[in-house]
Amino acid sequence: MPLVVLAGGSFLAFESAIAAFEKTEDKTLEELFPLTHLEALIVKASIPAENYLISGNPSEREYSRSLSREVDNTFAAVLAAPFDLPEKQVLVRASQKEWQQARTVSEAIFTYADPVGNLSAVQKMEHLNTHTKQAVDSLDKLYKLLTHLQIAENLAVAESIKQRVRLIITIVSGLGLGVVATAGLVLVRSILLPLRVLEEGVVRFGEGDLSHRIILPAQNELGQLAGAFNLMAEKLEQSQAALKDLATMDGLTGLYNRREFNQRLAAELERSRRYGHPCSLLMVDIDYFKKLNDTYGHQAGDEALRVTAALIKQEVRPGDQVARYGGEEFAVIMPETSGFGASAMAERLRDAIATQAIPITKKQTINITVSGGLATFPEDAGSESAVIFAADQALYAAKHSGRNRVISSSNLSIKES
């Protein structure tokens, strides 16, 4: 009888625990996915203005307006959903306010008839980046708030299950007083110890330790319950990893996205400042990419982007960091690399891309070239925005001096002087 009561009670208790955890997970994911999508849209909406500063292509204006409408619609959808806490609505509205200011600045950038190299336009781009970052930061705060609430709910469920388990153990202990010592020892070894392991697992999971796994023999019901618990924990861990990838990676190329690039560049420059080491930045742009799309179609353009991204990752060192900066432009952060070393790597990369055949159909391949702009911190520029600007200017010079070449910002300065 004690074994029957224990097995039935513990099974029902942990079944209810798993259901409660899955309900919390589904609710949190329903709130987190729209926020992550909105973050990605805000960052994406700032890219056409920057592309306009680099290329002066007026078609970026309509693309920017299309993205802006999509961001506005997403904000409206998020705000239309019910809010459990006032803090959620406050953070979303704060992000929306920063986004509206960013959109105004973006529209102002498109009023410049000749934006390339215009310092006033560059300053407005810095304002746009600032408002974009603040809008994303507000959504990040909301993301952390929702995650904290999920952990709090899990802890409450874990505490409830702990009390149930203790009650079951108390009942079983009372019923088992009449059982002989040997039967009591068997009970402790076969039931109570696994229950304690399960209880510890529930508590650790409720505290947010999704990497924890319960190790019990799978031959009995408690072992099967532990297996179900481990599968649920793995599912949650994968969901969180997917959310992180969605926020940091570019879906087409598998490289870091623009937002993650900005964060990593800031971190590397701060490290360079602290230890007095150089850090180089290479901006790479596919030559005649619009003509490639117009001639062979956007699928061929996507394949060219994927192949170029793979070649860059293959050629750089393990410590270098590669991102898709926007459109057909890529960025490579090279920590502890001087201008000379970065130039050698950039030339090797340019040659590798130029000699790589890209399949566009089963029977047809094409070759592409790239142009590159290189800047080194602190030799060529002393801040994050200045390094990006210097590399962009060098890339602009490479484009206008014939393409399929890499120009360093230091060489560009010598020529201008």
Side-chain angles (χ1 to χ4, degrees):
M1 179 60 93
L3 295 178
V4 172
V5 173
L6 178 60
S10 60
F11 180 82
L12 293 175
F14 283 102
E15 279 293 318
S16 65
I18 291 174
F21 282 130
E22 289 180 342
K23 181 179 179 181
T24 302
E25 173 203 2
D26 293 341
K27 177 183 175 183
T28 302
L29 291 179
E30 287 176 1
E31 294 179 304
L32 292 182
F33 272 119
L35 294 178
T36 306
H37 177 61
L38 183 55
E39 283 188 28
L41 278 179
I42 292 173
V43 173
K44 187 177 180 181
S46 68
I47 294 177
E50 188 152 358
N51 289 341
Y52 182 66
L53 290 184
I54 296 172
S55 64
N57 187 347
S59 65
E60 297 290 345
R61 182 199 305 267
E62 186 56 36
Y63 184 44
S64 175
R65 289 174 177 173
S66 175
L67 290 174
S68 296
R69 287 192 295 270
E70 189 173 355
V71 173
D72 289 337
N73 292 337
T74 305
F75 264 117
V78 171
L79 287 170
F83 290 91
D84 299 334
L85 294 175
E87 292 89 338
K88 295 182 185 179
Q89 189 173 33
V90 170
L91 288 171
V92 173
R93 291 200 178 279
S95 176
Q96 185 185 41
K97 181 179 179 181
E98 292 295 337
W99 152 248
Q100 290 171 345
Q101 294 178 356
R103 184 183 59 192
T104 301
V105 175
S106 176
E107 292 172 354
I109 290 174
F110 285 108
T111 61
Y112 289 91
D114 186 14
V116 180
N118 190 311
L119 292 179
S120 175
V122 171
Q123 290 175 349
K124 286 189 179 296
M125 192 64 223
E126 291 179 355
H127 292 318
L128 172 59
N129 288 335
T130 298
H131 289 303
T132 299
K133 182 178 183 301
Q134 290 173 348
V136 171
D137 286 346
S138 293
L139 293 178
D140 278 341
K141 291 179 182 178
L142 179 53
Y143 181 96
K144 293 176 181 178
L145 173 62
L146 292 176
T147 303
H148 176 75
L149 291 176
Q150 179 192 18
I151 292 174
E153 290 182 18
N154 286 342
L155 283 173
V157 173
E159 182 62 28
S160 174
I161 298 304
K162 181 194 292 186
Q163 296 301 326
R164 292 186 190 179
V165 170
R166 288 177 176 173
L167 178 60
I168 293 170
I169 293 174
T170 301
I171 295 173
V172 170
S173 299
L175 293 175
L177 289 176
V179 182
V180 296
T182 303
L185 180 60
V186 172
L187 179 66
V188 170
R189 290 181 178 273
S190 62
I191 301 296
L192 297 184
L193 290 180
L195 272 177
R196 288 174 185 170
V197 174
L198 284 168
E199 180 183 354
E200 180 185 357
V202 170
V203 173
R204 291 185 63 174
F205 180 68
E207 291 173 348
D209 185 4
L210 300 181
S211 62
H212 178 68
R213 295 294 181 268
I214 297 176
I215 308 300
L216 286 176
Q219 291 79 7
N220 55 36
E221 289 78 2
L222 292 178
Q224 294 173 3
L225 183 60
F229 182 94
N230 291 336
L231 287 175
M232 182 184 64
E234 183 178 354
K235 178 183 175 184
L236 276 173
E237 197 170 20
Q238 290 173 351
S239 297
Q240 289 195 354
L243 284 173
K244 183 178 180 181
D245 285 344
L246 184 63
T248 61
M249 307 302 289
D250 175 63
L252 177 64
T253 62
L255 302 178
Y256 292 126
N257 59 23
R258 175 73 167 275
R259 176 188 172 209
E260 186 68 11
F261 160 77
N262 288 333
Q263 293 179 350
R264 289 179 177 265
L265 178 61
E268 286 299 339
L269 294 189
E270 178 59 31
R271 194 161 66 92
S272 295
R273 251 186 231 104
R274 186 180 308 150
Y275 298 108
H277 296 160
C279 181
S280 293
L281 173 64
L282 173 64
M283 306 296 284
V284 178
D285 188 271
I286 298 177
D287 296 327
Y288 302 110
F289 186 73
K290 184 178 185 301
K291 182 178 179 182
L292 186 154
N293 275 333
D294 293 342
T295 304
Y296 300 104
H298 287 281
Q299 289 185 340
D302 288 346
E303 183 62 21
L305 290 171
R306 281 191 288 265
V307 171
T308 302
L311 281 173
I312 295 175
K313 290 181 68 176
Q314 173 184 311
E315 293 295 328
V316 300
R317 303 167 303 176
D320 297 335
Q321 302 179 61
V322 187
R324 184 181 179 189
Y325 192 72
E328 67 272 23
E329 191 171 358
F330 302 88
V332 183
I333 304 171
M334 294 175 279
E336 301 185 20
T337 306
S338 64
F340 177 78
S343 295
M345 192 284 287
E347 284 296 334
R348 184 174 72 250
L349 176 61
R350 181 197 60 77
D351 183 65
I353 295 173
T355 56
Q356 175 67 45
I358 299 175
I360 58 174
T361 66
K362 292 183 178 180
K363 296 182 179 181
Q364 185 179 11
T365 62
I366 61 172
N367 288 88
I368 63 171
T369 61
V370 296
S371 299
L374 187 64
T376 301
F377 172 89
E379 177 183 344
D380 299 324
S383 68
E384 178 186 349
S385 60
V387 168
I388 295 175
F389 181 74
D392 272 337
Q393 290 298 303
L395 174 61
Y396 180 77
K399 287 287 188 183
H400 284 265
S401 59
R403 294 180 170 83
N404 191 22
R405 64 195 62 205
V406 178
I407 291 182
S408 173
S409 178
S410 57
N411 294 336
L412 184 63
S413 300
I414 293 174
K415 290 180 180 181
E416 291 178 347
S417 60

